[in-house]
Amino acid sequence: MNNFENAKEILENEYTSPNWNEKSGLCPDELLQECVRIESNPISRQLAKAQVIECILKNAQIEVNPYTLFADNIRHGHISEKKRMSNQAEVEKCELKHVLDKYADFIAACAFDGNSDFGHTCPDWKFLLDNGFSGIAELAGKKLLDPSLKENQKDFYLCVKTVYSAAAVFARRLADEANSKKEQSPQLEKTAKSLYTLSKSAPKTFFEALSLICIYYELQCYLDSAWVRSLGGLDSLLWPYYENDIKTGEMTEDEARKYLKYFMWKMRAHKFGANIPFYLCGADENGNDLTNPLTHIILEEYIALDTHDPKIHIKYHKNIDQKVLKTVAESIRNGRNSFLFMNDEVVENALIKSGAEKKDAHNYEIVGCYEPMAKGELPCTCNGRINIAKAVELTLSDGFDVLSGKQLIEKGKKPLDTFDAFMDAVKEKLRFFADGSMDIITSYEKNYDKIQSAPFLSAATPASFEKGVDVYSSGAKYNNSSINAFGLATAVDSIMAVKTLVYDEKVVTLEQLSQTLANNWQTDSALQLKCKNLDYKYGNNCDEADNMAAELCDYLAECINGKPNGRGGHYRFGTFSIDWRMAFGEGTGATADGRFAKEPLSKNMCASLGADSNGVTALINSVCKVDYTNIPNGTVLDLLLHESAVKGDDGLNALIGIIKVCMNKGLIALQINVLNSKTLRKAQQNPQAYKNLQVRLCGWNVYFVNLSREEQEEFIKQTDHMA
């Protein structure tokens, strides 16, 4: 049972098929009854939630899998998540009804939207590791002794003390459960010992630090109902524990490698849905590389696992360890591509522009797929979405949405007789989209106190803890919100088609083109072909098209960045699409770049599928003409290379060179797929034989065989195009 390889398959189902100890506590129905009773008491929402969390941690059924090293599983019944969703539904029905009704047609037409975001957070992991559960409970207890506290602050610190004390009890319960199974699985003796320590104090060893991370992740995600979207810089966080354990003989390097295997496999299997990121490398404030021996050990063990998850962000800077670059590049070349490069210099400058102090910007975290957040920030990176291509579509149709059959925007009173007038109309719609999205989000945020509180995350956010204010009630140092605009290449290529064929060459009138698009190209396939084959396409190092992309990004940044939100912070602009481009594409009519109605929009900062005909260098040059310091919420270039381009030593050096060029030219983030279309076709036809074939999809890694047929075909077409 101590053999990781023997345990892998069982641990992969650790969360999907738990074996609950029914004698260890209350079943979900009984637990729910207790929680309902607590919520009926005449106490604040915050305190009621804290007491519900306490009830769950002390009374819910638990499980310790005999094959694991790290125990954290509790049968919480998703009570906190269901309550948050119920609270939000009630707010939407009452306080938000007016604003949601106001923009309902635009939301339905996939023009823009806005929402709450409780899903993109990163706690201060060092604070958690330094203090542990009992230590934070003790700190909250000391705060409660302050006679100058206001009532809401007293509630806050009482909530923190309640949940963190309960977390210590939970650790003790897990320890007892592990201890009861040690004859069945001797390795659980170490698990139990570490859990007993965590029930009383902060972690002292490498193993205990990993154990605390596992437990805290469970608690914040499922009891706060605020998703942890980064495990932080694991090599720097864990290095002091590793170094001390090696020096004292507490642990050998081989044991550390074993613990890391179990830890990363656990995060891979986690029931939240995986793709939990962490980052490596980075630089100190003097520019010195932070890579240490543990960095290389983590990379080696991760690559040996041959897994698509968790994903790893590499903080790139000019003094980055070259061995790290080579190791990661080799992994990507070999099909293990769950890596993303973040450009430290660009991120830092973007966050400073966004209002962060230099030190906080330098010590940024990376949440979710590729979203930077300053130290101490709650960025809410996915509050709103804007469909750039829809603004172009509605300009061409004079505000009429073909797919819904509704006049979304009043017909323009000024003739679009020049290209400048056309662009003014596009920008006018983009500003309306941005204002509408912010209006919705701000309305949500003004009601956050009625929807959600997060005592675990609040205590692990130093500014929130010091102020005695919940993190979702403006407790963080930077209380920001974010809006992402996407479909950039689709929009740019459409605009260039309009400029060329309507205004410059006068091949077709605006009205004729609009009618052809309304007919989804069925009445003029020759014009569609002309639009598809135009030279002026984003992604080919064509200044006119690329400058248009930069202009749209700068304009949207001006519309969004720095505008006040509903939590005492401001809005941040991003340009990533993840998988939204599929659903929003379904709601977007035919576009002037030759795209049919309902087809996917372009991805992130990429060119449209097949439009980048001048090679990788031209694509990189195009993408790097955008000023990413105006995009503090982040974005990424998804670069796809054919495996023939990176073969041998020369190919590996070329791949490393591409990474360096992208970073040196000011790209904010880069992720790379190295693929072969023949292999992808074989995997499509015989998925069982290729079940471990990975692809990087927008912001996360997946197995190719698990993609939809449409997504598989897109990868195959891209790979054929790059051959």
Side-chain angles (χ1 to χ4, degrees):
M1 220 176 259
N2 286 312
N3 187 319
F4 174 74
E5 292 303 318
N6 293 338
K8 278 176 69 174
E9 189 172 342
I10 293 171
L11 291 177
E12 190 163 8
N13 301 312
E14 183 177 4
Y15 296 108
T16 55
S17 304
N19 184 23
W20 301 112
N21 178 357
E22 295 183 358
K23 295 180 180 179
S24 64
L26 302 177
C27 72
D29 287 344
E30 294 169 325
L31 197 64
L32 180 59
Q33 289 176 13
E34 285 297 307
C35 292
V36 169
R37 181 187 60 76
I38 291 168
E39 290 174 339
S40 68
N41 293 330
I43 53 178
S44 69
R45 287 175 182 265
Q46 273 189 318
L47 194 53
K49 179 166 184 176
Q51 290 182 5
V52 164
I53 291 173
E54 179 186 37
C55 177
I56 294 170
L57 288 172
K58 290 183 175 180
N59 298 292
Q61 293 172 2
I62 60 175
E63 182 218 19
V64 175
N65 190 309
Y67 285 82
T68 195
L69 282 179
F70 302 107
D72 62 357
N73 215 355
I74 184 167
R75 199 173 186 185
H76 48 70
H78 295 280
I79 289 171
S80 291
E81 183 181 4
K82 290 173 183 175
K83 181 63 177 176
R84 174 176 58 77
M85 292 172 69
S86 172
N87 290 343
Q88 179 155 324
E90 187 63 27
V91 165
E92 289 170 347
K93 181 181 175 182
C94 301
E95 286 85 350
L96 268 65
K97 185 179 187 305
H98 172 73
V99 72
L100 292 176
D101 286 349
K102 178 180 178 181
Y103 298 112
D105 288 344
F106 293 95
I107 295 170
C110 296
F112 64 88
D113 67 11
N115 213 317
S116 62
D117 182 2
F118 304 113
H120 296 85
T121 76
C122 180
D124 188 318
W125 287 107
K126 188 175 186 306
F127 179 76
L128 285 164
L129 292 170
D130 285 349
N131 293 282
F133 302 130
S134 59
I136 293 173
E138 186 178 340
L139 289 172
K142 289 178 180 177
K143 290 285 189 182
L144 281 167
L145 299 176
D146 183 350
S148 67
L149 290 179
K150 298 175 182 176
E151 284 304 312
N152 66 313
Q153 291 175 308
K154 289 178 184 177
D155 263 9
F156 173 85
Y157 290 119
L158 184 55
C159 287
V160 171
K161 183 179 179 181
T162 298
V163 300
Y164 274 88
S165 296
V169 173
F170 176 51
R172 178 67 186 232
R173 293 182 68 206
L174 289 171
D176 290 342
E177 185 72 10
N179 201 43
S180 72
K181 294 182 176 181
K182 66 183 180 183
E183 289 186 11
Q184 180 185 353
S185 176
Q187 70 183 17
L188 287 182
E189 184 171 1
K190 185 171 188 65
T191 302
K193 181 182 176 184
S194 75
L195 290 166
Y196 283 131
T197 298
L198 295 180
S199 72
K200 297 178 290 186
S201 68
K204 298 178 179 63
T205 68
F206 184 76
F207 186 86
E208 290 166 2
L210 289 173
S211 184
L212 182 138
I213 291 170
C214 289
I215 294 172
Y216 179 84
Y217 178 86
E218 176 83 10
L219 301 184
Q220 189 191 306
C221 285
Y222 298 104
L223 300 186
D224 264 2
S225 190
W227 307 121
V228 178
R229 298 303 288 134
S230 175
L231 301 178
L234 283 187
D235 52 349
S236 294
L237 278 170
L238 296 173
W239 171 246
Y241 300 94
Y242 175 89
E243 186 179 34
N244 186 64
D245 285 1
I246 294 295
K247 283 180 180 177
T248 62
E250 168 71 26
M251 175 184 72
T252 65
E253 182 183 314
D254 285 345
E255 286 174 326
R257 289 177 179 273
K258 172 185 170 182
Y259 302 155
L260 285 166
K261 282 190 184 82
Y262 275 89
F263 174 79
M264 289 189 284
W265 200 254
K266 169 175 276 289
M267 300 317 298
R268 174 189 188 275
H270 213 286
K271 53 185 176 284
F272 172 52
N275 272 278
I276 310 305
F278 61 86
Y279 66 83
L280 303 173
C281 306
D284 66 18
E285 291 176 18
N286 296 315
N288 300 310
D289 185 50
L290 292 175
T291 300
N292 59 52
L294 186 57
T295 311
H296 300 289
I297 291 172
I298 292 172
L299 281 174
E300 289 163 11
E301 293 307 318
Y302 178 79
I303 291 168
L305 281 175
D306 195 19
T307 178
H308 73 299
D309 184 49
K311 57 188 180 186
I312 300 180
H313 298 136
I314 303 295
K315 282 192 169 186
Y316 183 97
H317 58 98
K318 63 182 180 181
N319 296 319
I320 190 170
D321 186 290
Q322 296 303 300
K323 183 181 176 184
V324 167
L325 270 186
K326 184 176 181 182
T327 299
V328 173
E330 282 185 309
S331 177
I332 293 170
R333 182 174 69 171
N334 293 333
R336 293 182 294 267
N337 50 4
S338 199
F339 293 94
L340 174 125
F341 294 94
M342 292 289 292
N343 191 333
D344 277 1
E345 182 179 357
V346 176
V347 169
E348 184 175 331
N349 289 332
L351 292 174
I352 290 171
K353 264 191 183 183
S354 187
E357 295 175 12
K358 182 176 176 60
K359 183 177 180 181
D360 295 332
H362 179 80
N363 293 314
Y364 72 96
E365 304 283 358
I366 310 163
V367 295
C369 298
Y370 19 63
E371 300 103 282
M373 58 170 264
K375 199 74 172 177
E377 182 176 11
L378 185 70
C380 296
T381 61
C382 293
N383 280 114
R385 301 175 290 184
I386 291 174
N387 182 348
I388 308 175
K390 194 76 178 184
V392 183
E393 177 196 348
L394 292 177
T395 302
L396 279 160
S397 66
D398 207 3
F400 182 74
D401 183 52
V402 174
L403 295 184
S404 69
K406 293 183 177 181
Q407 187 73 36
L408 293 182
I409 298 174
E410 184 181 351
K411 289 187 176 184
K413 296 176 182 177
K414 295 179 181 178
L416 304 183
D417 49 3
T418 67
F419 179 67
D420 286 344
F422 179 84
M423 281 305 301
D424 286 345
V426 170
K427 289 179 178 179
E428 185 179 82
K429 289 168 183 60
L430 287 174
R431 184 174 289 278
F432 174 77
F433 290 2
D435 288 345
S437 182
M438 288 187 284
D439 192 7
I440 298 169
I441 297 162
T442 298
S443 298
Y444 270 105
E445 291 181 325
K446 288 180 178 178
N447 290 279
Y448 268 13
D449 62 332
K450 298 173 185 174
I451 300 172
Q452 167 78 326
S453 60
F456 280 114
L457 175 60
S458 297
T461 304
S464 182
F465 186 78
E466 287 305 312
K467 286 190 269 186
V469 177
D470 189 86
V471 73
Y472 286 113
S473 296
S474 306
K477 186 173 183 178
Y478 309 104
N479 298 284
N480 297 330
S481 313
S482 304
I483 297 173
N484 298 290
F486 50 89
L488 178 64
T490 305
V492 169
D493 293 351
S494 298
I495 289 169
M496 295 311 299
V498 171
K499 181 179 186 300
T500 304
L501 299 178
V502 175
Y503 293 101
D504 294 348
E505 298 179 3
K506 304 188 187 309
V507 171
V508 64
T509 67
L510 206 61
E511 291 73 17
Q512 289 169 334
L513 177 57
S514 176
Q515 189 57 51
T516 300
L517 294 176
N519 292 325
N520 200 21
W521 297 108
Q522 300 304 311
T523 55
D524 199 338
S525 57
L527 180 61
Q528 182 187 28
L529 189 62
K530 191 181 288 286
C531 288
K532 281 187 172 183
N533 292 334
L534 283 175
D535 292 332
Y536 305 106
K537 299 277 188 182
Y538 169 75
N540 293 289
N541 200 22
C542 165
D543 282 341
E544 195 170 3
D546 301 341
N547 290 341
M548 178 59 65
E551 181 180 339
L552 288 173
C553 287
D554 287 346
Y555 181 75
L556 280 162
E558 186 269 324
C559 290
I560 294 168
N561 284 337
K563 300 297 187 292
N565 66 3
R567 296 185 291 118
H570 60 253
Y571 284 96
R572 317 184 324 162
F573 171 51
T575 58
F576 58 83
S577 65
I578 53 176
D579 53 352
W580 305 327
R581 68 193 188 88
M582 312 292 283
F584 274 66
E586 283 278 340
T588 304
T591 44
D593 60 339
R595 172 189 156 277
F596 283 112
K598 299 188 176 185
E599 287 186 343
L601 303 173
S602 58
K603 185 192 312 183
N604 296 322
M605 292 304 295
C606 301
S608 294
L609 182 61
D612 50 329
S613 56
N614 289 346
V616 171
T617 301
L619 173 62
I620 291 170
N621 284 335
S622 288
V623 174
C624 290
K625 290 173 188 171
V626 171
D627 182 357
Y628 292 98
T629 65
N630 288 332
I631 307 178
N633 199 49
T635 187
V636 68
L637 170 62
D638 308 68
L639 197 59
L640 193 151
L641 302 173
H642 194 276
E643 64 179 28
S644 62
V646 293
K647 280 187 174 179
D649 291 342
D650 288 345
L652 182 62
N653 290 333
L655 179 54
I656 294 170
I658 286 172
I659 296 165
K660 289 181 176 180
V661 166
C662 287
M663 298 294 103
N664 292 340
K665 288 178 74 69
L667 184 65
I668 193 169
L670 173 70
Q671 57 193 24
I672 303 171
N673 278 300
V674 175
L675 299 169
N676 180 322
S677 58
K678 289 182 180 178
T679 302
L680 297 182
R681 284 287 184 204
K682 288 178 182 177
Q684 197 177 54
Q685 295 160 8
N686 185 13
Q688 277 302 109
Y690 293 88
K691 60 183 181 180
N692 290 328
L693 177 61
Q694 300 176 30
V695 292
R696 183 88 184 188
L697 179 69
C698 289
W700 53 85
N701 252 42
V702 295
Y703 291 125
F704 178 78
V705 297
N706 292 337
L707 293 174
S708 68
R709 185 81 178 190
E710 182 180 25
E711 289 169 318
Q712 289 179 348
E713 286 297 329
E714 190 173 55
F715 270 107
I716 290 168
K717 288 175 183 176
Q718 272 188 291
T719 311
D720 280 337
H721 176 68
M722 296 303 295

